Structures are given as C-alpha cells and as structure tokens.
Amino acid sequence: MNRLHVELPGLSLKNPVMPASGCFGFGQEFSQLYDLNTLGAIMIKATTLEPRFGNPTPRVAETAAGMLNAIGLQNPGLNGVLANELPWLEQFDVPIIANVAGSEMNDYVEVAKEISKAPNVHALELNISCPNVKKGGIAFGTIPEVAAELTKRVKDASAVPVYVKLSPNVADIVGMAQAVEEAGADGLTMINTLLGMRIDLKTGKPILANQSGGLSGPAIKPVAIRMIYEVSQRVTIPIIGMGGIESVDDIIEYLYAGASAVAVGTMNFSDPFICPRLIEELSNKLDELNVSQLSELVGRSWKSYAG
Amino acid sequence: MNRLHVELPGLSLKNPVMPASGCFGFGQEFSQLYDLNTLGAIMIKATTLEPRFGNPTPRVAETAAGMLNAIGLQNPGLNGVLANELPWLEQFDVPIIANVAGSEMNDYVEVAKEISKAPNVHALELNISCPNVKKGGIAFGTIPEVAAELTKRVKDASAVPVYVKLSPNVADIVGMAQAVEEAGADGLTMINTLLGMRIDLKTGKPILANQSGGLSGPAIKPVAIRMIYEVSQRVTIPIIGMGGIESVDDIIEYLYAGASAVAVGTMNFSDPFICPRLIEELSNKLDELNVSQLSELVGRSWKSYAG
Amino acid sequence: MIQQEIMRVVSQREIARNIFELILEGAMVQQMKQPGQFVHILPNPGLDPLLRRPISVAHIDKMKNQFTVIYRAEGKGTNLLSQYTVNRQLDVLGPLGNGFPINATDSSETALLVGGGIGVPPLYELAKQLTKQGVETKHVLGFQSSEVVFYEKEFSRYGETYIATVDGSLGTKGFVTNVIAEKQLDFDVIFACGPTPMLNALQQEYKDKKGFLSMEQRMGCGIGACFACVCHVNEPVNGKDYVKVCSDGPVFPIGRVVLT
Amino acid sequence: MIQQEIMRVVSQREIARNIFELILEGAMVQQMKQPGQFVHILPNPGLDPLLRRPISVAHIDKMKNQFTVIYRAEGKGTNLLSQYTVNRQLDVLGPLGNGFPINATDSSETALLVGGGIGVPPLYELAKQLTKQGVETKHVLGFQSSEVVFYEKEFSRYGETYIATVDGSLGTKGFVTNVIAEKQLDFDVIFACGPTPMLNALQQEYKDKKGFLSMEQRMGCGIGACFACVCHVNEPVNGKDYVKVCSDGPVFPIGRVVLT
Ligand SMILES: Cc1cc2nc3c(=O)[nH]c(=O)nc-3n(C[C@H](O)[C@H](O)[C@H](O)COP(=O)(O)OP(=O)(O)OC[C@H]3O[C@@H](n4cnc5c(N)ncnc54)[C@H](O)[C@@H]3O)c2cc1C
Ligand SMILES: Cc1cc2nc3c(=O)[nH]c(=O)nc-3n(C[C@H](O)[C@H](O)[C@H](O)COP(=O)(O)OP(=O)(O)OC[C@H]3O[C@@H](n4cnc5c(N)ncnc54)[C@H](O)[C@@H]3O)c2cc1C
Ligand SMILES: Cc1cc2nc3c(=O)[nH]c(=O)nc-3n(C[C@H](O)[C@H](O)[C@H](O)COP(=O)(O)O)c2cc1C
Ligand SMILES: Cc1cc2nc3c(=O)[nH]c(=O)nc-3n(C[C@H](O)[C@H](O)[C@H](O)COP(=O)(O)O)c2cc1C
Ligand code: FES
Ligand code: FES
C-alpha cells in the first residue's frame, strides 16, 4: 500500500501534494516542465461565469519572504474552462479540484453546477476569500452567515464534494469554519492570502495597480499553521493546508497542525519543480519519521499519542 | 527648524523614530549601547496593575522574515514601573509612551490614571491587542463596541493623550479605528502582531509553550502598510506605524501610507543599533527626496500633490 | 525546452556605473534560440528575496556553453546578484519567452535597433545575429547620462551606432527619438527594447512599419502560469484579448500591444 | 561593554560530524571577561533567517584579537554559519552575559567541569583559566556517539578527561552522571553546561556543593530587553522571582534556577 496515499471526500490522492489555485494556471505551462501525473491533485485557477481580464498591471509585488498579488481572477470563464482547459487535463491521471468564484451567489451556483459535471473534476474549492475583486470575493469570506448560505447553495448544486477556501482576514476563523461545516461543506482549504500593500518609493503610490493585494508565501505560514491548528480541533471535516510551503519540513508541520493534505502556491514561482521534488522527499521523510502511513501524522500537535 | 520634528498629541518628537513596546524593555539595556536621547520617543513595555511573570518558555520562535513571541506581558506591575522604571528614565530628554494593559477594564483604567501622572509619560498606548494573554488583551481589540468603551473610560482617567494600539486580527480595521476615534482616542498605533504558530518538528508540539504567539517582523509589513493606508484616509487622528521596519525606505513607505511617526520592534533584536542608525539615515533621505519637512511625506500614497 | 539549472559564474564586472556584465556557463545555453529571450534568475537561495528576476540574454556563445547578461544593480535582488564572484553558482530558469524574429528581415534590408537603458542588452545578440545574416544594422542607444553608457564600442562593430543621453553628457542630448529624427535614419524594420514611454513613442511613430518591441512587466512565474504579466492587445490574438509578456512575448510585433 | 562588530573569519573547520570550530577576529575580543560568556551571531545579512544565534565563547586569544566558537550545524542559521570561509565577514554582538566566576575557586581546590554535547565548548576556556590559576580541573564530557566527540585531546592537556557516549561508542556508555559515579570523582566545585536534563540531574545531586550551571533558552534580543529567556528562581533574587538567562546568566549558582 502506498504510504503517501490520502483519502478525502471525492479525492483519492496518490500523495498529499498539489499546486494551489492561481499558481499553476490550468496546468499547461508546468506540463512542459514535468509529468503532471506525479501530482496528488491540481487546484486549477479560479473559474467565473464570464471570462475575466482581471486587474490592470502591475499585479504582483515582492515582500519579505512573500509576495502580493492582485491578478483579479483572470480566467477564460466557465465555457472556456469546460471547452478547453478541463478536456486538455483529461490526459493526466490526476484529480482536478476546480476553484469556483463569482460576484453574486448565483454566479457561484451556476459555475459549480456545470463545472462539477466535468469528468475529471473530483471536488470544488469554493473561493469565498479572494481579496482582489471588488464585488463578492472576500465579502463572502468574512461574514459567517453569508459564507454558510453560499456553501449551502453551492453544495446543493454541485455533483462533487465541496471544499470551502477560508480567508485569514477574520478575527474568528473557528466560527467561520464551523459555519460552513454546518452548511454542508465536505472539507476546508486554508488559507487564502492576507490583505497587504506595498508602496513604490519612486512614485509614492501603491505598487499594485489594484492598490492592495493578497499576501502569500513563507511570510504567512505561521498564520496558516495557527488557524489550521485551531480549526482542525473544532471541525470534523478535513483540511487541505496551504500558505508558504517550501520544504518537506513545512509539509510535516502542516500535517502536525491538522491538515490532511497540502497545496503549494507561491513557491512554484521561485522553484517550478518544487511539487515533484517535495513528493519525492516526502517519501524519504516518512522513513526518517518511521511512520507507515501519512495519516498518522495528521493533528499530532494536539492529539496525544503514544511514542 | 529641525526637519525631522513631528508634533503629535502630547508628543513633541525630535524625530519620528521610536522603539516599539515590548522590544526595548524600559530602556536600561539599550542605554548601555547608545544614548537614548537620540530617540524620538520610547514606547515602554506593557504595564499591568499587578506584577506579572508572563508565560512559560519557550516564548519566542523564528519564522520566515519574522518571529513569534508569547512573552505574556511580563512586567513589574504599576507600582514597580512608577517606583523604578519611570524615574530612571527621567535622566533622558525623551518623551515616554506608556503601554497600558490589563485583564479587566478596571485594571486598564487604574493603570492609565496613575501612570499618566508620571512627569515623563507624555502619552499612553492602550494595548487592546495583545494576543498573548488569556483574558482581555485581544478580546478588547476585535470587538469595536468593547474597544470604544474601554477607550472612553481610559481617556476619562488619563492625564495625557491616549493612543489606541490596534490588532490586525480583524476583518474590518477601519471600523475598529473609527470606533475608537469616536470614543475619544487622540491617536492610533498600528499594528500589533498577527496571531501565529510554529510547530517543533522534533517534538511534534507547538514551539511556544503558550502554543500560539504574535507574529512580528518584516513578514507583516505589507499587512501594516495596507491597514495604515486604509485607516489614515478614514480617521483624522494621527497614526504611529509599526510592523517589520528595518530600513529608512521602510520608514518612508510608512509615511507615504499615512503614518505620522514610526516604531521599530523586532529589528532591535537583529540590529540593536537600528534606531539611531535609521534616525541618522533619515536625515540624508530627506535631502535625497528634497523635502523640507517630514510631514510633507505623510499620506502621499493617497493624497494628490503637486510634483 | 525550459530548464532549471545551477550555472557557474564565469565572470562578473561593472561596465558602467551600477551596470554589470555577468557571464554564466551551463547546458541551458544550447537551448537558447532567439535574441530577446530572457532568463529568470534567483538572486539568492533562501527566502529573501523570494522571487526570481527576469533578465534578457545579451550574448550567446554556444561553443563555450556561455551566455552574457547585462543588468543594472538597483534593488535588493540585482544588488545581491552583483556580488556573485567567479565560480559561484546561480540558479537560473530559462530560456524563456519568444525573442526577436530574425527571419523577419532579409539581407537586402536595413534594421534599426533602438534601445533605452537596460533595454539595450538584448539588442546586442540581435545585432550579432542580424549581421551574420547579412542584414545591415543601425543602432540608437539611449541612456540617462554618460556614466551609465555601455557597449557603445561593441555595437559599433556591427554597424553605425548613435548615443543619446538625457543630460547631453554624451552623444545627442535627449531621447532616442530625437536621434532618429535628427540623423534622419532610414530603415526597413525596427527592433526596440526599453522603457514603456519609449516603446509607446516608437509604436505611435512607426505603426505602419515592420517592427518588433520587447516589453517589460513585473513577473511571478515567468512561464505563463500566474497571469501577472498580461497586457491588453489592440486586436484579439488567438481569440484572446490579452497576451502574456513572459510566454507570448516579451517581443511583440509593433502595434499589437496596448501601450500607455 | 557590549559591541556590535563586523568580524573577520580566521578559520573554520569541521572537527566532528556537523560540529564546527570557527575562529573570529576583532576588537571585541578585548572585552571578553569570563569563560561562559556568549556572542550573538547574525548568520546572514538580510532577513532570512532573521534572528541572531547565541553561541558560547570557547577560547579567547587576546594577543591575537581572536576567539573561538564551536557549534553544531543543525538548523537554518547554524548551517549558513558553517558555510563562512576564511576572510568573510560576520556580524557579531557581544560579549554577552555573565560567565563562570573563576574567582570562586582557589588554587587548593579541585574543579569538576561537566559538559554535554554543544555545552562542552565554554568549558574549554574555563579549563584554561582555572588551570592558569593553579586550580586542578577534571573534565567529564558527554556526547551522543563517538562521531560527535570533539576536543578530548585539548581538554586532556589541562587535566584528567573522561568521555561518556550515549551509545557507548567511546568512553563510558551512558551519561556524564554515570561517569562521575563510576569513577568516584572527587571535587570541591562543579561547573557544568549542557542540556537541561543533565543540568537538572546535577543540580539535584550536588545542590549542597559549590557549583555553577550554564543554561540555554531561546532568545530574542540577547541583552535583557525582551523577556524571552526568563527562568523562575527558587528564591527571589534582588526582589525578583525570575532571572534572564541572557543578561543575568547564562551561568547561575547551582540551586538558583528552577530546572525541569
Ligand atoms: C523580460 C524582461 C527582461 C529584462 N531584461 C533586463 C536586462 O537585461 N537587464 C536589466 O538590468 N533589467 C532587465 N529587466 C528588468 C529587471 O527584471 C528588473 O530591473 C529587476 O527585476 C529588478 O529587480 P531588483 O532586485 O533590482 O529590484 P526590486 O525592487 O528588489 O524588485 C522587486 C520585485 O519587482 C520586480 N521588478 C522591479 N523592477 C522591475 C522591472 N523594471 N521589470 C520587471 N520586474 C521588476 C522584481 O523582479 C522583483 O520581483 C528585464 C525585465 C523583463 C520583464
Ligand atoms: C547562551 C547560549 C549559548 C550557546 N552556546 C552554544 C555553543 O557554544 N555551541 C552550539 O552549538 N550551540 C550553542 N547554543 C545553542 C545554539 O544557540 C542553537 O543551537 C542555535 O541557536 C540553533 O540555531 P539553528 O539555526 O541551528 O536552528 P534553527 O532551528 O534555525 O533556530 C531557530 C530559532 O530557534 C533558536 N534555537 C533553536 N535551538 C536552540 C537552542 N538549543 N538554544 C537556544 N536557541 C535555540 C535559534 O536561536 C533561532 O532563534 C547556545 C545557546 C545559548 C542560549
Ligand atoms: C498569483 C496568485 C494567484 C492566486 N489566485 C488564486 C485563485 O485564483 N483562487 C484562489 O482560491 N486562490 C488564489 N491564490 C491563493 C493561493 O491559492 C494560496 O491560497 C495562497 O497563495 C497561499 O499559499 P502560498 O503561500 O503557498 O502561495 C493565488 C495566489 C497567488 C500567489
Ligand atoms: C518580543 C515582543 C514583545 C512585545 N511586547 C509588546 C507589549 O508588551 N505591548 C505591545 O503593545 N506590543 C508588544 N509587542 C508588539 C510590538 O510593539 C509591535 O507592535 C509589533 O512587534 C510589530 O512591530 P515589529 O514588526 O517592528 O516588531 C511585542 C513584540 C515583540 C516582538
Ligand atoms: S509571469 Fe506568470 S504569467 Fe507571466
Ligand atoms: S533574550 Fe531578550 S531578555 Fe534575554
């Protein structure tokens, strides 16, 4: 039996490592670098009902051990993704997690309904936490009642399990997690980016054309670990953890905190081969830790265990 | 006229740079390294009504471009500070900003009342945002009504202007800032630390004995800049900015964002001479920027200005 | 094929104020196809700074397995880069993007190569390859001041070379467009790389000419996956209303991209 | 006086598996007073890693303006440190803390120096200074296994030296306490540095002896300002119920600090 195997609602993963949404497009570019079949899953870029161009540029800025982005959910729209992106991905034996976004609840519901029918979409990731769009996005992610309502409606519409992606820009992450769990979420993915800004010293204006953007990368890892540690003890649904993962030790830290699988975002840019590398290293790490199944590590930081 | 001079409620600062609370003790240690008279002000460690030992150790952990702390407000208590720390600081011609903390509203009020009478205390910094104490602390910092009520009562008790220190662990920082402004705050200091955690891979448990702690350092700077940018446009009281400042460019970025002065925390540990160094460099920077008064830079990122 | 390679520093020298010429060695050089392609360099292992820096290929030497980049040490990453000494190792991703189409010109034609500041480097390999093809090249290189002028002699070897400096300390005072007008330079095709205002001026002036412009944008991935570097286009390309500078460009036919 | 100094690397060598001996040169050496003091080293300019690393002074050479540290390359910072080669520069803050009081012993007495792992280094300068004062020193040094044993010969020069290894691959199998019991070592004063369980065992066993223990704690500032490194004490000291390891210690009289 494959020690790296992870079983989650809708997802039978050969390993727990997947690229995070928005950092991997729809896979085509990275497929030129390595075989996508090595991945546990792929979280594709957010899909909205209509095609979107997104925000003006500059859309990224560097920060200490992190970066800001304000892409603004650029994507070819539901029809484009259904017609081109998903069929192309069918050549790989990798479950796709479709990231669903919108400005109105109805948009979300419509996208969820259609995209969840695609044969290789095994789960949805409900993006209620994107900081970079004027309407919707993060608003859904900071008010528990709204998030719950949206979760319920998407869940009703979806043919596959629904993971809700939580925003860290809240005072009470546990309350938010419990609200969406109660509304029927099958799992959580956390965390999305923190809201941040950098100012260009030459112009005196924000670097990003959108002014503020989402902070990601190693800088935010401690925030993610803290939130997963708290939430995993208070919900029964599984968590896919993300935020600054750059090493196999980081993966272990996420598992200990309470994540069942992990996603790598920003670090794909600094090291485009990071996902296959981590998957390889993870196997050795399990030898070192002397565990026969990855799941033994999940939640170790708060579970009492023998040994 | 001194170009670095900054005039704020209760504070006539010879320059805008001061050490942040908790990163400088009560000044005695750093006074062995350099002349404290060079500083714009000193934000002393939080004072509570009774002496506190604080949390068990380990109390600090390193993170990517940042650190976590869970000191737990260790301090000699109001009487100790009044009897020993503040009198010792009187030898310096530097305004003291006294950081006030507590578990109950009454504690805050009592400390504020007494400590604000000390001759060298020119302002209070109301710490409603400490993540490292079980009672009070951050609870006051995440509910606007509670924060407002506390501000009002402390303001009534204090003999000097009151700055409220905001927690970044909220969804709506502007709402919080406006609530305390309305309650009578004379200024804001922002930001305190983000809640974070790291897990020790050897033990599988959180590194900090307190489990979670406050994330500080350059990692959080983009979050601080974003919040100051938003808040400074929506309140009329001045802001003292902090979070990861490590260079004179960072100071300019804070001023552009809307801060009127800045505090340096974590970087005092990596570079104990950072405050006097930045003060010196700031003067040259003003030449370079060709400005005759520091205040011209405040809020440039959102003010339209000629040139 | 895009490779990630730990390359060896062959040499590094400051050729003008804060302008460095860095020669790197490794197998990736064999993959370099066109002048105008770029590499994505990680200035430091570790997390600070975090992102790679896009730098154009300025000269390719396939025989020696070496290539040259020329860059300005400005911010954190490029300053760190300038501290790499001989034999140290550098993490490079490349070659990336689509460069200048040298086959778009034939040997009877004259090409005008226009570079501004750190937009000059990719034109050097271009001048070399065009010359080798028998194309006549003229070069107009614009800089801030004489202190940051570089490679004037090197370009002269391939053809007439004019310098413009903003402060007039060398060559014509003003911009590259002043030189072209003043010297009444004639050409069949124009190739340019430099700051957006320069490209914009050229695009407006020569929209009916054959020409190719190399663009800059802040980048994340450098390979087309993150949508950081998109630009609007004047007419849809392959059914899309945008292009990505990193993977569709950085070089585009004149008139294609909306410049402002 | 505490100084921050950019010091020069005089030498660096691996003296046992992952154990490095690093010699640094600079004016700060003149300020070093006691064995057992430490320095706070910034392993890297830049922000990753962010914090300094506390490392004990293992040998002082005032004539040459040089001092030695011995450390284990373990995490991010110490691994980076181990890559510094001769003549590179390192940002050091020090000397910090209060070390072993060598005047607490007179020349008629015998001192037992007990070190565990990377707690061994500060005892080396201590052995030297005590010997110079005419004090007889015996050394018990505990390690995990023979591969990480270091400085056995160097200590032997100053007095009887016993090695314990947990796996028995060198010297006595077990802990330093096993050696002391087994060899029935006699002494008037004990000095120890090592992991807390070792210090705890010694403190319980020898609470009535004259002795001094050097402690470790995670640190922020290293100079007493941040309250990261406090320990409870058994009896109030100067009216305080705690001490700071960095500025009150790292060496404390046996029995003073609550160890668990
Ligand atoms: C396709 C392409 C080719 C380039 N070729 C060259 C070249 O040959 N020589 C040269 O000197 N420069 C070139 N540049 C510009 C170069 O990438 C930037 O000067 C460099 O990234 C700045 O990094 P820094 O560490 O100095 O600045 P920092 O301020 O530390 O950079 C912070 C972040 O902003 C990005 N950034 C800052 N300025 C620019 C810019 N002008 N363009 C793109 N990203 C920027 C950085 O990449 C980094 O992510 C090229 C840019 C692109 C897009
Ligand atoms: C007073 C004192 C003297 C010391 N002397 C020596 C010595 O002579 N030789 C030696 O090898 N080691 C010594 N240590 C331990 C040494 O400081 C740690 O091994 C080192 O800080 C670990 O850093 P890292 O980069 O390897 O680990 P990382 O895991 O990258 O460290 C992360 C953070 O945790 C801190 N940390 C991790 N482990 C320890 C530890 N055991 N003690 C204190 N902080 C820790 C680091 O300083 C850093 O802030 C001493 C510690 C103290 C407090
Ligand atoms: C350039 C970029 C684009 C992103 N786009 C999306 C997106 O479309 N949908 C989404 O849910 N998250 C998006 N994210 C957030 C990431 O999926 C991830 O949650 C976050 O970056 C934290 O992980 P990291 O630190 O490993 O990057 C994006 C992040 C980046 C850096
Ligand atoms: C070790 C440590 C102790 C702190 N103690 C306090 C405190 O007592 N009161 C307070 O208001 N803030 C405290 N802070 C927060 C800082 O004052 C500051 O708001 C925060 O660290 C962000 O600034 P920085 O990134 O420059 O450190 C502490 C921070 C650190 C790192
Ligand atoms: S930089 Fe990522 S798409 Fe161009
Ligand atoms: S490390 Fe800061 S008080 Fe000891």
Side-chain angles (χ1 to χ4, degrees), chain C residues 84-147:
Chain C
Y84 277 74
T85 46
V86 184
N87 286 330
R88 280 190 64 192
Q89 302 195 310
L90 211 47
D91 182 341
V92 183
L93 182 73
L96 300 178
N98 297 300
F100 293 105
I102 50 163
N103 300 329
T105 331
D106 68 43
S107 57
S108 65
E109 293 183 314
T110 300
L112 182 66
L113 278 55
V114 184
I118 52 167
V120 168
L123 301 180
Y124 184 59
E125 176 66 23
L126 178 64
K128 185 186 94 182
Q129 293 199 20
L130 288 175
T131 303
K132 209 164 136 195
Q133 283 203 150
V135 175
E136 182 188 344
T137 63
K138 298 178 185 175
H139 318 115
V140 180
L141 312 177
F143 300 93
Q144 281 300 317
S145 72
S146 64
E147 290 157 334

Side-chain angles (χ1 to χ4, degrees), chain D:
Chain D
M1 239 209 40
I2 299 172
Q3 301 185 346
Q4 181 184 9
E5 187 177 3
I6 305 299
M7 302 188 84
R8 185 177 76 88
V9 173
V10 175
S11 83
Q12 164 114 272
R13 58 192 189 105
E14 190 170 358
I15 56 174
R17 202 187 54 211
N18 293 332
I19 307 285
F20 290 80
E21 178 204 67
L22 170 66
I23 304 181
L24 295 172
E25 184 180 86
M28 180 191 300
V29 175
Q30 300 307 323
Q31 307 289 330
M32 295 180 174
K33 292 208 192 73
Q34 291 171 311
Q37 287 186 297
F38 66 102
V39 291
H40 220 21
I41 304 184
L42 199 64
N44 205 23
L47 306 174
D48 173 47
L50 193 75
L51 297 175
R52 292 175 180 269
R53 302 298 193 257
I55 308 281
S56 302
V57 173
H59 184 247
I60 306 171
D61 186 341
K62 293 207 178 181
M63 296 277 288
K64 289 194 184 159
N65 249 358
Q66 296 178 350
F67 77 104
T68 305
V69 293
I70 298 168
Y71 64 92
R72 180 161 64 216
E74 211 178 354
K76 191 167 208 168
T78 49
N79 269 310
L80 267 168
L81 197 57
S82 71
Q83 283 156 34
Y84 277 75
T85 46
V86 183
N87 285 332
R88 279 190 65 195
Q89 301 195 311
L90 210 47
D91 182 341
V92 183
L93 182 73
L96 301 178
N98 297 300
F100 294 104
I102 51 163
N103 301 329
T105 331
D106 68 44
S107 58
S108 65
E109 293 183 314
T110 300
L112 182 66
L113 279 54
V114 184
I118 52 167
V120 168
L123 301 179
Y124 183 60
E125 176 67 24
L126 177 64
K128 186 186 93 182
Q129 293 200 19
L130 289 175
T131 303
K132 207 164 138 198
Q133 283 203 152
V135 176
E136 183 188 346
T137 62
K138 299 177 184 175
H139 318 115
V140 181
L141 313 177
F143 300 93
Q144 280 300 316
S145 72
S146 63
E147 289 156 333
V148 291
V149 172
F150 60 88
Y151 267 41
E152 182 184 4
K153 224 190 290 169
E154 284 81 349
F155 274 96
S156 303
R157 238 180 276 145
Y158 295 118
E160 292 170 27
T161 299
Y162 305 91
I163 303 290
T165 52
V166 175
D167 68 355
S169 52
L170 195 78
T172 304
K173 184 176 161 79
F175 300 102
V176 289
T177 41
N178 299 124
V179 177
I180 304 175
E182 190 180 289
K183 310 282 178 192
Q184 302 193 326
L185 296 177
D186 238 16
F187 58 91
D188 302 294
V189 50
I190 181 170
F191 297 94
C193 183
T196 308
M198 180 192 106
L199 298 181
N200 200 15
L202 295 173
Q203 177 154 297
Q204 291 194 358
E205 185 74 23
Y206 304 110
K207 56 175 167 292
D208 303 324
K209 282 265 184 187
K210 188 159 61 167
F212 300 90
L213 307 179
S214 181
M215 310 251 323
E216 273 187 19
Q217 274 284 10
R218 296 214 175 211
M219 292 187 176
C221 65
I223 62 171
C226 76
F227 292 86
C229 66
V230 298
C231 295
H232 281 288
V233 285
N234 287 311
E235 318 248 296
V237 183
N238 304 328
K240 293 189 175 134
D241 60 350
Y242 65 89
V243 287
K244 295 174 195 161
V245 168
C246 69
S247 52
D248 297 322
V251 174
F252 298 99
I254 203 164
R256 171 158 304 169
V257 173
V258 179
L259 295 170
T260 38

Side-chain angles (χ1 to χ4, degrees), chain B residues 20-23 44-46 60 67 69 71 73 99 125 127 129-130 165 191-193 214-218 220 242-245 263-267 269, chain D residues 226:
Chain B
S21 179
C23 302
I44 55 174
K45 175 121 196 82
V60 294
M67 67 176 282
N69 89 79
I71 307 295
L73 298 183
N99 189 278
E125 182 181 39
N127 183 354
S129 47
C130 181
K165 186 160 187 177
I191 59 175
N192 210 319
T193 53
L215 179 63
S216 64
I220 70 168
M242 63 197 74
I245 290 175
V264 178
T266 302
M267 292 308 291
F269 306 159
Chain D
C226 76

Side-chain angles (χ1 to χ4, degrees), chain A residues 23-295:
Chain A
C23 303
F24 207 75
F26 296 92
Q28 307 219 13
E29 295 77 16
F30 281 90
S31 78
Q32 295 163 29
L33 302 186
Y34 59 83
D35 181 2
L36 301 189
N37 282 312
T38 55
L39 298 170
I42 297 174
M43 292 168 145
I44 56 174
K45 177 122 196 79
T47 301
T48 53
L49 195 52
E50 303 298 333
R52 285 206 199 187
F53 176 75
N55 293 319
T57 58
R59 293 177 170 188
V60 295
E62 194 180 49
T63 70
M67 67 177 280
L68 295 169
N69 88 80
I71 307 295
L73 298 182
Q74 177 160 21
N75 80 94
L78 177 62
N79 291 336
V81 173
L82 288 177
N84 305 316
E85 311 297 349
L86 286 170
W88 182 86
L89 281 164
E90 278 183 40
Q91 65 187 294
F92 303 102
D93 176 29
V94 178
I96 305 301
I97 301 174
N99 189 278
V100 172
S103 316
E104 317 280 341
M105 284 214 193
N106 285 336
D107 297 356
Y108 278 94
V109 172
E110 190 61 25
V111 174
K113 188 173 157 200
E114 297 305 324
I115 209 166
S116 67
K117 291 180 192 158
N120 52 346
V121 169
H122 292 215
L124 302 187
E125 183 181 37
L126 193 55
N127 184 354
I128 59 166
S129 45
C130 181
N132 298 323
V133 286
K134 291 272 165 308
K135 279 172 72 182
I138 205 165
F140 291 114
T142 55
I143 308 165
E145 296 72 32
V146 180
E149 160 88 14
L150 180 66
T151 303
K152 207 163 156 22
R153 293 192 49 197
V154 165
K155 180 69 189 150
D156 286 346
S158 173
V160 296
V162 175
Y163 291 70
V164 179
K165 185 159 187 176
L166 302 186
S167 165
N169 301 289
V170 298
D172 177 15
I173 193 74
V174 171
M176 179 58 75
Q178 289 175 329
V180 301
E181 177 180 41
E182 217 161 283
D186 298 286
L188 302 170
T189 65
M190 53 196 292
I191 58 175
N192 210 320
T193 52
L194 281 160
L195 267 168
M197 178 185 283
R198 279 210 57 191
I199 293 169
D200 187 329
L201 292 188
K202 281 185 214 135
T203 64
K205 302 292 164 195
I207 292 180
L208 300 177
N210 189 49
Q211 303 180 331
S212 63
L215 179 63
S216 63
I220 70 169
K221 197 188 73 174
V223 175
I225 294 287
R226 187 267 297 182
M227 290 188 164
I228 292 170
Y229 176 87
E230 289 179 358
V231 168
S232 62
Q233 297 179 63
R234 308 286 292 279
V235 299
T236 57
I237 52 180
I239 297 170
I240 302 176
M242 64 197 74
I245 290 175
E246 51 113 5
S247 68
V248 74
D249 281 356
D250 287 342
I251 296 180
I252 304 296
E253 196 171 344
Y254 270 87
L255 298 174
Y256 283 176
S260 297
V262 296
V264 179
T266 302
M267 292 308 290
N268 284 296
F269 306 158
S270 308
D271 177 2
F273 294 89
I274 190 169
C275 287
R277 179 169 63 74
L278 292 182
I279 291 164
E280 215 184 289
E281 289 176 13
L282 192 55
S283 215
N284 303 333
K285 192 73 188 185
L286 291 196
D287 289 339
E288 202 183 292
L289 292 172
N290 206 7
V291 294
S292 56
Q293 197 56 39
L294 192 90
S295 55

Side-chain angles (χ1 to χ4, degrees), chain A residues 253 256, chain B residues 58 198-208, chain D residues 218:
Chain A
E253 196 171 344
Y256 283 176
Chain B
R198 280 212 55 191
I199 292 169
D200 187 330
L201 292 187
K202 281 188 212 131
T203 64
K205 303 292 166 195
I207 293 180
L208 300 177
Chain D
R218 296 214 175 211

